[in-house]
Amino acid sequence: MYAEERQQAIATRIGHHGRASVADLAVSFGVTTETVRRDLAALERHGLVHRVHGGAVPTSSLAVIETGVAEREHEHAEQKDRVAAAAVALLPPDGGSVLLDAGTTTARLAGLLPGDRRLLLVTNAVPVAARVAATPGIRLHLVGGRVRGATQAAVGEEAVRALGDLRVDVAFIGTNALSLPFGLSTPDVDEAAVKRAMVRSARRVVVLADSSKLGHEHVVRFASLADVDVLVTDDAADPRLVADLEAADTEVVLA
């Protein structure tokens, strides 16, 4: 097989499967890993794939631009409403503790918190705090730090340190992207550090992500799927991905 034929076959495989590792491609095509890396470099120059750690993904699956809260608020709004409504059933009982991550879907959940249930609510998100501050029964704990304009969330060492001293019943985490091989990811290193600390601080981790986030990757991973207990998404999610997630012991709730 000529190099051009092999590269075309590699690009086709990555496009079909969503990701391929250097090691697997080397075995499949009977070449060295160095040859595969050169092939991937050539494909990346032509805009056909994007190299990631250990392999490559299609360029269409790698998100690289982070939009602000105001812009994201109206994207996939109906799906986010359904996801947030389904997540209400996963709240802890009266007297429990909740951590709400920053994000437009988690903010929707904040607006649906029952007024007849006493909850300790921890968040690093200014919009979430503003939404729940007057909710009956909610004891609000706002994590401090530098507030990022894009997400209106507190980040930095102060936030990470504060979260490291907490242990909550349930953390509701947002994500910019979720894929089976890479896990949960986000564009910003500081944001990822805070999300990572949130995941570690919770007895149960619930991820809220509409189906547009699934099958994509951002540049910074903050959790693997093994860290996730439940994924709440909408019913437009790819059935194959849902089946793969469930096979990996992640409970999936379709809203």
Side-chain angles (χ1 to χ4, degrees):
M1 180 180 291
Y2 293 111
E4 292 80 2
E5 294 174 315
R6 184 178 60 250
Q7 290 167 10
Q8 183 59 52
I10 289 173
T12 300
R13 175 173 298 194
I14 292 171
H16 179 72
H17 293 286
R19 186 184 180 99
S21 72
V22 169
D24 287 344
L25 291 171
V27 171
S28 297
F29 291 96
V31 295
T32 65
T33 55
E34 289 77 11
T35 296
V36 170
R37 290 190 180 93
R38 287 195 295 270
D39 287 340
L40 294 178
L43 291 170
E44 187 173 46
R45 285 195 300 272
H46 286 90
L48 297 175
V49 305
H50 189 98
R51 286 184 293 173
V52 295
H53 180 70
V57 297
T59 52
S60 60
S61 73
L62 187 66
V64 295
I65 299 175
E66 182 180 20
T67 54
V69 171
E71 183 177 347
R72 288 186 287 115
E73 177 64 32
H74 303 291
E75 294 177 347
H76 311 287
E78 181 184 347
Q79 292 88 340
K80 291 176 181 179
D81 288 341
R82 298 206 311 267
V83 168
V88 171
L90 301 174
L91 289 166
D94 188 67
S97 54
V98 174
L99 195 157
L100 274 185
D101 187 15
T104 53
T105 308
T106 50
R108 283 168 163 79
L109 174 58
L112 298 175
L113 294 176
D116 59 351
R117 192 178 311 185
R118 294 171 300 166
L119 294 172
L120 170 64
L121 189 144
V122 181
T123 187
N124 70 323
V126 175
V128 169
R131 189 166 293 190
V132 304
T135 302
I138 299 297
R139 287 190 297 133
L140 175 64
H141 180 92
L142 181 59
V143 175
R146 174 180 62 85
V147 177
R148 291 188 69 225
T151 59
Q152 298 178 28
V155 298
E157 292 183 8
E158 181 183 348
V160 172
R161 185 166 56 249
L163 289 164
D165 292 332
L166 297 178
R167 189 66 166 166
V168 298
D169 293 319
V170 185
F172 293 91
I173 305 296
T175 186
N176 297 79
L178 181 154
S179 73
L180 194 64
F182 195 56
L184 284 65
S185 53
T186 189
D188 185 78
V189 172
D190 291 335
E191 199 90 37
V194 170
K195 289 177 180 289
R196 197 174 294 119
M198 288 181 170
V199 170
R200 288 196 298 262
S201 74
R203 294 184 176 90
R204 194 172 194 223
V205 175
V206 178
V207 173
L208 307 184
D210 67 81
S211 59
S212 71
K213 309 287 183 62
L214 308 186
H216 298 282
E217 297 176 356
H218 265 286
V219 293
V220 187
R221 175 169 54 191
F222 64 86
S224 69
L225 290 173
D227 298 316
V228 176
D229 296 295
V230 185
L231 166 66
V232 185
T233 188
D234 60 83
D235 57 9
D238 184 343
R240 294 172 299 179
L241 178 58
V242 170
D244 288 341
L245 289 168
E246 291 176 334
D249 294 327
T250 300
E251 180 184 349
V252 180
V253 175
L254 296 178

